Amino acid sequence: MARLTDEHDDPYLWLEDLDGPDAAGWVRDRNAETLAALTGDERFAALRAEIRQVLDSDDRVPYPGWRGDHFYYNFWTDATHPRGMWRRTTLDQYRRPEPEWDVLLDLDALAAEEGESWVWDGVTVLRPGYERCLVSLSRGGSDASVVREFDLVGRAFVSDGFTLPEAKSTVCWIDADHIYVATDFGPGSLTTSGYPRVVRRWRRGTPLSAAEVVFEGQADDVSAYATRDHTPGFERTFLGRSLDFYRTESFLLTREDERRRIDVPDDARWDVHREWLVIGLRSPWTVEGVTHPAGALLAARFDAFLAGGRDLTVLFRPDDRTALGGHAWTRNHLILLTFADVRSRLEVLTPDATGWRREPLPGVPESGHSGVVETDRDTGDDYLIASEGFREPATLRLGRVGGTVETLKRAPTFFDGNGLAERQFFATSADGTRVPYFVVGDPDATGGPTLLTGYGGFEVSLTPHYSGIIGRGWLAGGGTYVVANIRGGGEYGPPWHRAALREDRPRAYEDFAAVAADLVARGITTPARLGIEGGSNGGLLMGVMLTRYPELFGAIVAHVPLLDMRRYHRLLAGASWMAEYGDPEEPADWAYLRRYSPYHNIRADRPYPPLLLVTSTRDDRVHPGHARKMAARLRERGHEVAYYENVEGGHGAAANNAQRAFVWALTLEFLWRNLSGEAGPALPRQRPTAAVPTGSRRVVGG
C-alpha cells in the first residue's frame, strides 16, 4: 500500500520546526500583531485583573486528596505562590476557615533555587509508611516530567534516591526499596505515540540500566504500564498494554512472576477493590448466554473470575436517557455517579449476603451537579462530594456511609447570579438525534452576545459547573453562556461516544451546528453575535465549524487545537488517538478525514468569521504546528486570524495563574469585540512573504 506523503503539498511544514529560527520569528511576529490589536486598552487590563483575582482568590476551596494516612493533602497556587505549594493538614484544621497547613514542598522556592520553570505534575506516596514519595515536575507545563524521590519527614529530596530524567514516565512503589518504572530507556523503548513500551522493576541503589524488565508492549501500542495495589491483605501487581486509546490487555502478576490474563473485554474499564472486580462495558458482552449492553456496570468476585467463574451481578444498566458517569469505592461500599439527561445522581451500593443493596447517597442536593472528590478506600467509609451549578459556587461535604454529612467548605461567589437562569434545551441534529445543551444568562435577553462551547470526543462529558472566569468575564457583562453536549462525549454512555467515532465524526459537528441554529431559532442570539470556543479536540471542533459552517458564527476561538488531520498521527502523541479519528495512512480513512480536516478545507472564496488561535510552544501533546500552519494558510488566503503562542504552559497553554488570566482575557476580549459590534484595530490578513522563507530548510516527515 502506498503511504501518503506531505512534502509536495504542504508549504508550511517548516512551521512544525518547534524552535527553528524561521518558525520562531514567525511566532514572534504573529504574537506582536495580536497583542497590539487586543491588549492595549484599559478594558483588557481590567478584565485580566478580574480573572487573576478569581484564580488567586484565597477563598477558593482547597480541594484535598486522601492517601490513607488521615491527612488532607492539597496543591495550592495564589498570588504569593504562583508555582504552588504541596501541603497537608488534619481534618480538625481543615474544618477551620483558615487551616494551618504543613508545607511539604514550595515550588516557587525550588524553581528559584534551581533556575527551572517547574510546574507540578503529581505525586505518588509510599504506602503504608507514608514517609517517602515520588514527585513529578515538568518544565513549563509539558507532559514530559522529571521524577525525584522526596522525604516527607525531612522535607527534602533524597540525594541518592530514585530519580528519572525528563520523559513521559509512569512510576509506582512496590516497597520502600523497589519501584516499577516505565520511561524512555533509549532507542526502541517508546511506542509510536511517544509513551513507554517497557516496564522495569528498579531496586534502590542500582543503576536504572540494570533494572529488570518485567513487561513489554509492542511499538504500535499506545503504552505499557504497571500498577501496585497496596491494600493490606490484597497486595497485588497488575500489568497491561494499552493497545489503543480504548483497548487494553491486562494481567495479574503472580508471586512467581507469571502473568495471568484478566479476561475482560479489551475495551472494558475494570477496577479491583479487595475481593471485588467491577467491569464497565464500552461494547455489548455476551457471557453464558446473557448479553450485557454497552454502558452496563458488572461485579464479580475477583478470585472466582480469575479462576474462570462468570457469576456476574448487574450494578447498572443504561437506557436511552441514562448513563454511568463513574464509580468510587469506600472500604465497604461502592458509590455510583449516573446521569439522566446530563443531570447527576449519586447512589451507594453495598454488597451483603443477599446481593447488592442500593440507596441514595446522603448529603447530595437535588439541584446542581454533584460528584465524588475523594473516598477512603482503605480504612473507612468516608467520602467527599462537591456540588455546584452554573450559578451556584461549589459546596464541599464530608460524609460517611451510614453516618452523618457535614459541610466543610463553600466556594466564594465571583459574580451576581440574580436575574440569571440556567435552562436546558434540546436541538434536533441532521439525523434526527436530540442533542441537549445548557443555556445560562438573562432569560429575558434576546439576540445578545452568546458564547457556545463544546468538546464532543474521547467520552468526555460536559456537566454543569461554576466558573468565576466565565461569570465575571462574560455573564456579568450581559453575555449568555451555552454548553453543548454533542455526540462523541460520554453524556449518554458509550453509544453516544461511538456515534461520532472515526468515519462518523461529522455527527458531532452536525450536532454542534444544530445547537447553534437552535439558539438562533429560539431568539437567544443571532449568527453575528454567536461566538464559539473549544480546546484540543474541541479546538478541532472549532476548526470544522470555521470551514464547514462559517455562516452560523460571528467569532471563533480555538485553544491548543488539532487542525491538520493528515499529519496529526505523526506529531507528538497524535498516534495514540487513531482509535478516535482513524489512520491517515490508510486511504479509506484519509478519504473521510480529508473531507473535514480544517487545514485542508480552507477556501479563499468563502467568507469566514474572525478566528483566534491560542497554543503553546511547550505543548508536547498537540503540536503547536497545527495552529501555526492553520494561521499561515488562512492569512495566505486573505482571512482574518489572530494568533497567540505562549512560550510555556504545555497542553493547558498556561503554566501559572498570570498566564491563565492573560489567555482568558485575550479570549473573552476577542469574542466581545467581535460579537458586540465594537470597532477595533484590524489584524493583517495577508502574509507579506512567500510560504517558505528564503534560505529555510523545509522540514519534512514526522
Side-chain angles (χ1 to χ4, degrees):
M1 181 188 70
R3 291 175 61 86
L4 299 172
T5 58
D6 305 283
E7 56 266 29
H8 299 301
D9 60 1
D10 187 350
Y12 294 111
L13 277 175
W14 58 276
L15 285 171
E16 294 179 8
D17 187 3
L18 198 62
D19 296 310
D22 292 316
W26 182 93
V27 168
R28 284 194 299 270
D29 290 345
R30 302 292 77 75
N31 281 356
E33 293 168 351
T34 298
L35 299 186
L38 295 174
T39 68
D41 60 16
E42 294 181 0
R43 187 175 68 186
F44 177 84
L47 177 59
R48 179 172 59 177
E50 287 275 336
I51 295 173
R52 181 70 185 274
Q53 187 179 34
V54 169
L55 294 171
D56 284 341
S57 170
D58 291 334
D59 295 330
R60 287 171 293 139
V61 173
Y63 286 102
W66 291 344
R67 288 178 167 80
D69 56 357
H70 303 292
F71 283 108
Y72 278 50
Y73 289 81
N74 168 257
F75 186 77
W76 182 260
T77 61
D78 57 25
T80 307
H81 299 89
R83 297 194 180 277
M85 301 176 290
W86 186 42
R87 57 189 191 171
R88 69 184 181 187
T89 192
T90 63
L91 173 58
D92 286 343
Q93 282 290 331
Y94 191 83
R95 286 188 173 108
R96 300 181 180 185
E98 296 184 5
E100 292 183 5
W101 291 95
D102 176 13
V103 176
L104 303 172
L105 181 61
D106 184 331
L107 252 65
D108 293 274
L110 181 68
E113 177 185 345
E114 299 183 347
E116 293 279 7
S117 178
W118 290 130
V119 174
W120 183 255
D121 198 34
V123 62
T124 177
V125 177
L126 173 63
R127 298 163 56 197
Y130 306 101
E131 295 181 350
R132 295 288 178 92
C133 63
L134 299 169
V135 173
S136 296
L137 303 171
S138 81
R139 292 182 173 91
S142 65
D143 284 356
S145 62
V146 302
V147 178
R148 297 160 69 175
E149 185 176 357
F150 188 78
D151 184 344
L152 285 167
V153 178
R155 305 294 193 272
F157 287 105
V158 180
S159 59
D160 59 347
F162 292 112
T163 302
L164 292 175
E166 187 174 47
K168 294 182 179 181
S169 306
T170 59
V171 293
C172 72
W173 291 99
I174 303 171
D175 55 38
D177 292 317
H178 299 84
I179 67 172
Y180 289 119
V181 55
T183 190
D184 185 350
F185 294 108
S189 67
L190 299 180
T191 67
T192 54
S193 298
Y195 295 102
R197 185 185 67 79
V198 179
V199 179
R200 296 182 180 226
R201 184 189 291 116
W202 188 11
R203 180 166 58 88
R204 183 182 299 281
T206 63
L208 179 61
S209 59
E212 175 191 5
V213 174
V214 295
F215 188 68
E216 292 188 63
Q218 303 299 316
D220 56 357
D221 292 344
V222 171
S223 64
Y225 67 88
T227 61
R228 178 72 176 169
D229 185 349
H230 292 274
T231 305
F234 297 92
E235 295 88 351
R236 49 204 165 195
T237 294
F238 298 104
L239 305 171
R241 300 168 53 207
S242 296
L243 305 176
D244 59 32
F245 204 85
Y246 302 106
R247 297 184 305 120
T248 303
E249 188 176 75
S250 305
F251 304 88
L252 173 71
L253 185 66
T254 69
R255 295 179 185 274
E256 296 76 27
D257 278 353
E258 296 177 351
R259 295 196 296 270
R260 296 187 64 183
R261 176 74 184 271
I262 301 173
D263 195 19
V264 299
D266 287 348
D267 65 347
R269 302 181 183 91
W270 60 272
D271 174 46
V272 175
H273 174 69
R274 304 181 72 82
E275 70 268 36
W276 293 104
L277 168 66
V278 173
I279 307 165
L281 299 181
R282 283 192 172 103
S283 57
W285 188 29
T286 300
V287 183
E288 297 183 346
V290 178
T291 299
H292 302 284
L297 187 70
L298 312 174
R301 292 188 179 272
F302 179 64
D303 288 343
F305 186 90
L306 207 63
R310 292 297 180 265
D311 184 9
L312 300 172
T313 299
V314 178
L315 302 182
F316 175 80
R317 183 184 297 273
D319 58 34
D320 290 342
R321 294 185 54 201
T322 63
L324 182 66
H327 68 269
W329 283 98
T330 68
R331 190 183 190 280
N332 301 297
H333 306 271
L334 182 66
I335 299 174
L336 293 190
L337 168 65
T338 59
F339 297 136
D341 284 334
V342 206
R343 298 190 182 277
S344 64
R345 180 185 180 189
L346 285 168
E347 298 176 289
V348 57
L349 277 62
T350 305
D352 58 27
T354 61
W356 289 75
R357 188 173 69 255
R358 183 184 304 264
E359 302 168 292
L361 186 71
V364 181
E366 293 185 4
S367 62
H369 173 77
S370 296
V372 177
V373 175
E374 269 290 7
T375 59
D376 184 355
R377 293 174 60 102
D378 294 332
T379 62
D381 294 312
D382 289 355
Y383 58 87
L384 286 172
I385 57 172
S387 305
E388 63 184 321
F390 288 111
R391 296 170 298 143
E392 296 82 30
T395 298
L396 182 67
R397 295 179 174 89
L398 170 64
R400 178 173 297 154
V401 178
T404 60
V405 179
E406 65 173 301
T407 297
L408 287 181
K409 302 287 181 183
R410 295 185 187 276
T413 299
F414 288 115
F415 61 95
D416 185 1
N418 293 324
L420 303 182
E422 174 189 320
R423 297 172 288 169
Q424 186 182 43
F425 298 110
F426 292 82
T428 302
S429 195
D431 64 355
T433 299
R434 294 172 74 246
V435 181
Y437 66 95
F438 292 98
V439 177
V440 187
D442 182 351
D444 297 323
T446 58
T450 298
L451 171 55
L452 166 63
T453 190
Y455 189 77
F458 296 95
E459 301 178 299
V460 173
S461 301
L462 301 186
T463 55
H465 62 282
Y466 186 85
S467 170
I469 295 174
I470 294 298
R472 283 197 176 181
W474 192 258
L475 294 172
T480 297
Y481 181 60
V482 183
V483 176
N485 302 113
I486 62 177
R487 282 175 285 184
E491 290 88 346
Y492 289 102
W496 194 249
H497 168 243
R498 194 176 300 111
L501 205 59
R502 292 175 52 86
E503 64 269 19
D504 293 324
R505 174 66 49 175
R507 302 295 85 75
Y509 308 139
E510 292 167 0
D511 289 358
F512 199 78
V515 171
D518 203 58
L519 288 167
V520 173
R522 293 180 187 276
I524 294 171
T525 190
T526 64
R529 293 196 155 198
L530 177 56
I532 56 175
E533 178 275 331
S536 193
N537 173 74
L540 171 60
L541 171 65
M542 297 302 106
V544 175
M545 292 300 108
L546 178 83
T547 52
R548 278 201 169 188
Y549 304 96
E551 68 282 353
L552 296 180
F553 309 107
I556 299 176
V557 179
H559 290 125
V560 291
L562 282 87
L563 296 164
D564 179 354
M565 299 307 289
R566 186 167 188 168
R567 286 181 52 76
Y568 84 89
H569 63 308
R570 301 190 192 181
L571 300 173
L572 301 175
S576 66
W577 311 321
M578 288 195 291
E580 181 81 9
Y581 301 120
D583 181 357
E585 303 291 348
E586 295 287 343
D589 288 8
W590 173 239
Y592 66 75
L593 288 165
R594 173 66 177 83
R595 286 195 288 271
Y596 74 76
S597 175
Y599 184 57
H600 297 90
N601 283 280
I602 299 168
R603 291 170 47 183
D605 60 349
R606 190 174 189 185
Y608 294 142
L611 171 69
L612 169 63
L613 293 164
V614 177
T615 188
S616 165
T617 311
R618 297 276 78 82
D619 186 349
D620 55 353
R621 193 179 312 174
V622 176
H623 197 290
H626 285 274
R628 292 177 180 181
K629 296 196 301 179
M630 187 76 174
R633 181 163 280 179
L634 284 165
R635 287 166 54 82
E636 170 203 336
R637 299 185 181 182
H639 298 294
E640 182 178 351
V641 55
Y643 182 90
Y644 178 71
E645 182 174 317
N646 192 18
V647 294
E648 59 180 6
H651 195 50
N656 54 49
N657 286 349
Q659 294 175 14
R660 292 183 189 94
F662 183 87
V663 166
W664 271 108
L666 193 72
T667 296
L668 297 176
E669 175 69 11
F670 173 83
L671 289 168
W672 193 263
R673 283 195 191 187
N674 284 289
L675 302 179
S676 64
E678 294 183 8
L683 289 161
R685 293 171 178 261
Q686 183 68 34
R687 180 177 173 82
T689 60
V692 181
T694 302
S696 290
R697 180 177 62 85
R698 176 177 287 177
V699 179
V700 298

